[in-house]
Amino acid sequence: MNPTSRASAAHLVRRLTVLVPGALLLAWPLINGSPYILGLGIAIACYAMAAIGVDFAFGRAGLLSLGHGVYFGAGAYTAAVISQHSFTTPALVLVAAGAAVAAVLGLLLGAVFLRVGGYYFSVATLGAVFILASVLRGNTSLGGAAGLAGVNRNLVGQTPSTDANLYLVVAVVLALLIWSATSFGRTRMGRALTATREMPTAARVFGVPVFGVRLRAFTLSAAIAGVAGSFFAVYQQYVSPEVAGLNQSVQFLVMNVAGGLGTGWGPAVGALFIRGLPEVAAPLRDYQVLTQGVILVVVLLWLRSGLAGGLVQLLKRAQGALAARSLSTGAGAAPAAVRLPVRRVASSVLEVSGVTVRFGGLRAVDEVSLEVRSGRITGLIGPNGAGKSTMLNAISGLQKLSQGRITLDGADVSSLDARRRAYLGMSRTFQFVDLAPALSVIENVALGTFRTTRSGFARALVPGATRAEERRVAAQCLAALDMVGMAHLAHSTPKSLSAGQLRMLDVARALVSEPRVLLLDEPAAGLTDPEIDEFADCLESLRDDHGIALLLVEHDMRLVQRVCDHTVVVDAGRMLATGTPAEVINDAAVITAYLGTGVAS
């Protein structure tokens, strides 16, 4: 078996390891046929859906929601209220209406709660639970504390639906949802959502609208919880304020954590254990809360990635080892014919005029001006604390200007944020490499393609819809990794890389964004001398073969002298000297302030 076939076989084994047991578990209530087992299966499936909804908000976007019972309850009450006025409305219509109402509610609340962020976001979602519970108990038109009965259970038309029919529909919806949630993580929007959780600053630099992506994820999670609540109401044919209570919200969260955050199918496993285990094991039936607590503590202490997450990590390591072996043999390596698809734009130029950045009374950057042309490498050097990284933050849009002007291709971008500058062709690396540990090397690089790809949330939720785009992205990322000598590590994790390799990963991510202007913040830090020589070859290729405008902040003067066409020296935020590397290293002021008397020859 050739290396490529081995990698494909590993991927197939990984899928079958999850699909076969999952299919058997979903089919078991139908095979068993017991009314009790069917009813339990419906309840567990509804809870699993709600937990998957929480996973989109918490597991992927890092939004700790303590109030998803609100959207579960919104879906349930929507189905109940419609049934009060039109009992003949098919249950599937009730579910669709419940999902829509929950989505709108999630959109409205999310737009408000996301602006506070952090722990305040969690507290705000918790407050929503108490508010809704109070409204439901005090509103007689919604049944008050007694709730509402008489929810239509007919799936379509007037034909009564049996438990088996209802379970079949719920199981199919759950299976499709698991499939969608699992494949979502391997898409453009899945990576972007993970980036907003683990590296929001880098996400903005590469064009990700952090607030918009999070809001869409939160709205989606609310809609899924609404579907779950609607199905739950249809099954029980009754709703009460408890369906939107704090207990529900906590259960969904516990299921998500116990099953495995961000896995897609993990929340379903968590729901099976948390909701199903106390029912199947009769002695535990009266101690459901205690059982849930014990399972959660065991998972947090000994299996931090969750029940499903641990298995996913094990299978990923096996697949990554096979893929690395394939690349090392040459059969699976990045093809030499694949070129980094950057555009050569001769007119591309970055102009910085009189830029000043103040922090209170401190001038970190004081009226600095420079020019970066296409096909030219401009060096920005100076001692530690000279304001170089602050300057790059100002140019890339991460730091507001106190005064001055920045233009790209003649257009004033001074007032644009980092995301908008990214869409105009500006990219950068970071002095302290900002990566997502949850993503593999190639997935981290793929974040750089965000502005050059187009698939959104809707396509990302349809398994296979973005396959062609993902193939192109993978080819581009392998080409970028190959340029920095890291193609053989494409399926490794960032934590397994050396400091120098992390630097090169950061560079590859910036390269794959097809930049017109590339800002490099000390990219050679941590590299060995042979690695610096290879990196210098890469920079010269980018300048000479691709015509990219490069601004290089670097302390390694050997690299600066070799690759830079023009150099700007800053000290204490002010420009000290400008000229070719040979000119500035022999400048008396530069020698005194930065290089030292022993450097000049």
Side-chain angles (χ1 to χ4, degrees), residues 366-402:
D366 191 2
E367 296 187 3
V368 173
S369 299
L370 56 86
E371 184 180 48
V372 185
R373 293 187 177 277
S374 293
R376 191 164 99 168
I377 301 177
T378 300
L380 180 62
I381 65 174
N384 288 327
K388 303 182 299 297
S389 292
T390 303
M391 186 69 181
L392 254 62
N393 289 340
I395 294 173
S396 60
L398 294 177
Q399 176 63 52
K400 289 185 177 181
L401 307 183
S402 299

Short mmCIF file of all heavy atoms in Angstrom, two decimals, residues 366-402:
data_model
loop_
_atom_site.label_atom_id
_atom_site.label_comp_id
_atom_site.label_asym_id
_atom_site.label_seq_id
_atom_site.Cartn_x
_atom_site.Cartn_y
_atom_site.Cartn_z
N ASP A 366 6.96 58.39 17.16
CA ASP A 366 6.95 59.85 17.10
C ASP A 366 7.30 60.34 15.69
O ASP A 366 8.46 60.43 15.31
CB ASP A 366 7.96 60.41 18.11
CG ASP A 366 7.81 61.92 18.31
OD1 ASP A 366 6.90 62.51 17.70
OD2 ASP A 366 8.61 62.49 19.07
N GLU A 367 6.25 60.62 14.91
CA GLU A 367 6.38 61.19 13.57
C GLU A 367 7.34 60.39 12.68
O GLU A 367 8.29 60.93 12.12
CB GLU A 367 6.82 62.66 13.65
CG GLU A 367 5.77 63.54 14.34
CD GLU A 367 6.13 65.01 14.26
OE1 GLU A 367 7.15 65.34 13.62
OE2 GLU A 367 5.40 65.83 14.84
N VAL A 368 7.07 59.11 12.54
CA VAL A 368 7.89 58.23 11.71
C VAL A 368 7.29 58.16 10.30
O VAL A 368 6.07 58.03 10.15
CB VAL A 368 7.98 56.81 12.31
CG1 VAL A 368 8.71 55.86 11.35
CG2 VAL A 368 8.71 56.87 13.65
N SER A 369 8.14 58.24 9.30
CA SER A 369 7.71 58.12 7.91
C SER A 369 8.59 57.09 7.21
O SER A 369 9.80 57.01 7.47
CB SER A 369 7.82 59.46 7.17
OG SER A 369 7.00 60.45 7.77
N LEU A 370 7.97 56.29 6.36
CA LEU A 370 8.74 55.33 5.56
C LEU A 370 7.91 54.92 4.36
O LEU A 370 6.71 55.17 4.29
CB LEU A 370 9.15 54.11 6.39
CG LEU A 370 8.06 53.28 7.10
CD1 LEU A 370 7.47 52.23 6.18
CD2 LEU A 370 8.65 52.61 8.33
N GLU A 371 8.58 54.26 3.42
CA GLU A 371 7.93 53.83 2.19
C GLU A 371 8.37 52.40 1.88
O GLU A 371 9.55 52.07 2.01
CB GLU A 371 8.31 54.76 1.04
CG GLU A 371 7.60 54.44 -0.27
CD GLU A 371 8.02 55.40 -1.37
OE1 GLU A 371 9.24 55.62 -1.54
OE2 GLU A 371 7.14 55.93 -2.07
N VAL A 372 7.39 51.57 1.50
CA VAL A 372 7.68 50.18 1.15
C VAL A 372 7.15 49.95 -0.26
O VAL A 372 5.95 50.09 -0.50
CB VAL A 372 7.03 49.19 2.13
CG1 VAL A 372 7.45 47.76 1.80
CG2 VAL A 372 7.40 49.54 3.57
N ARG A 373 8.04 49.59 -1.19
CA ARG A 373 7.65 49.40 -2.58
C ARG A 373 7.58 47.92 -2.93
O ARG A 373 8.22 47.09 -2.30
CB ARG A 373 8.66 50.08 -3.50
CG ARG A 373 8.65 51.60 -3.39
CD ARG A 373 9.55 52.22 -4.44
NE ARG A 373 9.49 53.67 -4.40
CZ ARG A 373 8.55 54.39 -5.00
NH1 ARG A 373 7.61 53.80 -5.71
NH2 ARG A 373 8.56 55.70 -4.92
N SER A 374 6.82 47.60 -3.96
CA SER A 374 6.74 46.25 -4.46
C SER A 374 8.10 45.79 -4.96
O SER A 374 8.86 46.59 -5.53
CB SER A 374 5.73 46.16 -5.61
OG SER A 374 4.43 46.39 -5.15
N GLY A 375 8.42 44.51 -4.73
CA GLY A 375 9.69 43.98 -5.18
C GLY A 375 10.87 44.57 -4.43
O GLY A 375 11.98 44.62 -4.94
N ARG A 376 10.62 45.01 -3.20
CA ARG A 376 11.68 45.59 -2.40
C ARG A 376 11.47 45.23 -0.94
O ARG A 376 10.34 45.17 -0.45
CB ARG A 376 11.69 47.10 -2.56
CG ARG A 376 12.94 47.75 -1.97
CD ARG A 376 13.10 49.16 -2.47
NE ARG A 376 12.61 50.14 -1.50
CZ ARG A 376 12.83 51.45 -1.59
NH1 ARG A 376 13.51 51.94 -2.61
NH2 ARG A 376 12.36 52.28 -0.69
N ILE A 377 12.55 44.95 -0.23
CA ILE A 377 12.48 44.63 1.20
C ILE A 377 13.02 45.81 1.98
O ILE A 377 14.18 46.22 1.80
CB ILE A 377 13.30 43.37 1.54
CG1 ILE A 377 12.78 42.17 0.75
CG2 ILE A 377 13.22 43.08 3.04
CD1 ILE A 377 13.59 40.90 0.97
N THR A 378 12.17 46.39 2.81
CA THR A 378 12.56 47.51 3.66
C THR A 378 12.74 47.01 5.08
O THR A 378 11.86 46.37 5.64
CB THR A 378 11.49 48.62 3.63
OG1 THR A 378 11.33 49.08 2.29
CG2 THR A 378 11.88 49.78 4.53
N GLY A 379 13.89 47.28 5.66
CA GLY A 379 14.15 46.86 7.03
C GLY A 379 13.82 47.96 8.02
O GLY A 379 14.06 49.15 7.75
N LEU A 380 13.24 47.58 9.15
CA LEU A 380 12.95 48.51 10.24
C LEU A 380 13.69 47.99 11.46
O LEU A 380 13.31 46.95 12.02
CB LEU A 380 11.45 48.61 10.50
CG LEU A 380 10.99 49.55 11.62
CD1 LEU A 380 11.39 50.99 11.31
CD2 LEU A 380 9.49 49.45 11.83
N ILE A 381 14.75 48.66 11.86
CA ILE A 381 15.58 48.16 12.95
C ILE A 381 15.69 49.21 14.04
O ILE A 381 15.36 50.38 13.85
CB ILE A 381 16.99 47.76 12.45
CG1 ILE A 381 17.76 48.99 11.96
CG2 ILE A 381 16.89 46.71 11.35
CD1 ILE A 381 19.21 48.69 11.60
N GLY A 382 16.16 48.76 15.19
CA GLY A 382 16.32 49.63 16.34
C GLY A 382 16.44 48.81 17.59
O GLY A 382 16.12 47.61 17.60
N PRO A 383 16.90 49.40 18.69
CA PRO A 383 17.04 48.65 19.95
C PRO A 383 15.69 48.24 20.51
O PRO A 383 14.63 48.71 20.07
CB PRO A 383 17.74 49.67 20.87
CG PRO A 383 17.38 51.00 20.32
CD PRO A 383 17.29 50.82 18.84
N ASN A 384 15.71 47.35 21.49
CA ASN A 384 14.47 46.94 22.16
C ASN A 384 13.77 48.16 22.75
O ASN A 384 14.41 49.02 23.37
CB ASN A 384 14.77 45.93 23.27
CG ASN A 384 15.18 44.57 22.73
OD1 ASN A 384 14.70 44.16 21.67
ND2 ASN A 384 16.06 43.88 23.43
N GLY A 385 12.46 48.22 22.57
CA GLY A 385 11.70 49.34 23.10
C GLY A 385 11.72 50.56 22.21
O GLY A 385 11.24 51.64 22.62
N ALA A 386 12.22 50.40 20.99
CA ALA A 386 12.32 51.56 20.10
C ALA A 386 10.98 51.91 19.45
O ALA A 386 10.83 52.98 18.86
CB ALA A 386 13.35 51.29 19.01
N GLY A 387 9.99 51.00 19.54
CA GLY A 387 8.67 51.28 18.97
C GLY A 387 8.41 50.54 17.67
O GLY A 387 7.44 50.85 16.97
N LYS A 388 9.23 49.55 17.35
CA LYS A 388 9.10 48.85 16.07
C LYS A 388 7.80 48.06 15.99
O LYS A 388 7.06 48.14 14.99
CB LYS A 388 10.29 47.91 15.86
CG LYS A 388 11.65 48.60 15.90
CD LYS A 388 12.77 47.65 15.63
CE LYS A 388 12.88 46.53 16.64
NZ LYS A 388 13.17 46.99 18.02
N SER A 389 7.50 47.25 17.02
CA SER A 389 6.26 46.46 17.00
C SER A 389 5.03 47.35 17.07
O SER A 389 4.01 47.06 16.45
CB SER A 389 6.26 45.46 18.17
OG SER A 389 7.25 44.46 17.98
N THR A 390 5.12 48.44 17.82
CA THR A 390 4.02 49.41 17.86
C THR A 390 3.78 49.99 16.48
O THR A 390 2.63 50.19 16.06
CB THR A 390 4.31 50.53 18.87
OG1 THR A 390 4.54 49.96 20.16
CG2 THR A 390 3.14 51.50 18.95
N MET A 391 4.87 50.23 15.76
CA MET A 391 4.76 50.75 14.40
C MET A 391 4.05 49.75 13.50
O MET A 391 3.15 50.12 12.73
CB MET A 391 6.16 51.04 13.86
CG MET A 391 6.16 51.72 12.52
SD MET A 391 5.55 53.42 12.64
CE MET A 391 5.66 53.92 10.94
N LEU A 392 4.41 48.47 13.61
CA LEU A 392 3.75 47.45 12.81
C LEU A 392 2.28 47.31 13.18
O LEU A 392 1.41 47.11 12.31
CB LEU A 392 4.47 46.09 12.97
CG LEU A 392 5.32 45.68 11.76
CD1 LEU A 392 6.42 46.70 11.52
CD2 LEU A 392 5.91 44.29 11.97
N ASN A 393 1.98 47.44 14.48
CA ASN A 393 0.57 47.39 14.90
C ASN A 393 -0.22 48.56 14.31
O ASN A 393 -1.38 48.40 13.91
CB ASN A 393 0.48 47.42 16.43
CG ASN A 393 0.93 46.13 17.07
OD1 ASN A 393 0.96 45.09 16.41
ND2 ASN A 393 1.27 46.18 18.34
N ALA A 394 0.40 49.71 14.25
CA ALA A 394 -0.27 50.88 13.67
C ALA A 394 -0.49 50.70 12.17
O ALA A 394 -1.55 51.02 11.64
CB ALA A 394 0.55 52.14 13.94
N ILE A 395 0.52 50.16 11.49
CA ILE A 395 0.40 49.96 10.04
C ILE A 395 -0.67 48.92 9.72
O ILE A 395 -1.45 49.08 8.78
CB ILE A 395 1.75 49.54 9.45
CG1 ILE A 395 2.76 50.69 9.57
CG2 ILE A 395 1.60 49.14 7.98
CD1 ILE A 395 4.18 50.31 9.17
N SER A 396 -0.73 47.84 10.52
CA SER A 396 -1.67 46.75 10.23
C SER A 396 -3.07 47.01 10.76
O SER A 396 -3.99 46.24 10.48
CB SER A 396 -1.14 45.43 10.81
OG SER A 396 -0.99 45.51 12.22
N GLY A 397 -3.27 48.08 11.52
CA GLY A 397 -4.61 48.43 11.98
C GLY A 397 -4.97 47.94 13.37
O GLY A 397 -6.11 48.07 13.81
N LEU A 398 -3.99 47.36 14.07
CA LEU A 398 -4.26 46.89 15.44
C LEU A 398 -4.12 48.01 16.46
O LEU A 398 -4.58 47.87 17.60
CB LEU A 398 -3.30 45.75 15.80
CG LEU A 398 -3.48 44.45 15.01
CD1 LEU A 398 -2.42 43.44 15.42
CD2 LEU A 398 -4.88 43.87 15.21
N GLN A 399 -3.48 49.10 16.08
CA GLN A 399 -3.27 50.23 16.97
C GLN A 399 -3.71 51.52 16.27
O GLN A 399 -3.29 51.80 15.16
CB GLN A 399 -1.80 50.32 17.36
CG GLN A 399 -1.45 51.51 18.23
CD GLN A 399 -2.16 51.48 19.56
OE1 GLN A 399 -2.08 50.49 20.27
NE2 GLN A 399 -2.87 52.55 19.90
N LYS A 400 -4.58 52.28 16.92
CA LYS A 400 -5.04 53.53 16.34
C LYS A 400 -3.92 54.57 16.32
O LYS A 400 -3.09 54.63 17.23
CB LYS A 400 -6.23 54.08 17.14
CG LYS A 400 -7.50 53.27 16.95
CD LYS A 400 -8.68 53.93 17.65
CE LYS A 400 -9.96 53.15 17.42
NZ LYS A 400 -11.12 53.79 18.08
N LEU A 401 -3.92 55.39 15.29
CA LEU A 401 -2.94 56.46 15.16
C LEU A 401 -3.36 57.66 16.00
O LEU A 401 -4.54 58.00 16.08
CB LEU A 401 -2.81 56.90 13.71
CG LEU A 401 -2.51 55.83 12.65
CD1 LEU A 401 -2.34 56.50 11.28
CD2 LEU A 401 -1.29 55.03 13.00
N SER A 402 -2.37 58.30 16.60
CA SER A 402 -2.64 59.58 17.25
C SER A 402 -2.61 60.69 16.21
O SER A 402 -3.35 61.67 16.30
CB SER A 402 -1.60 59.84 18.34
OG SER A 402 -1.67 58.83 19.33
#
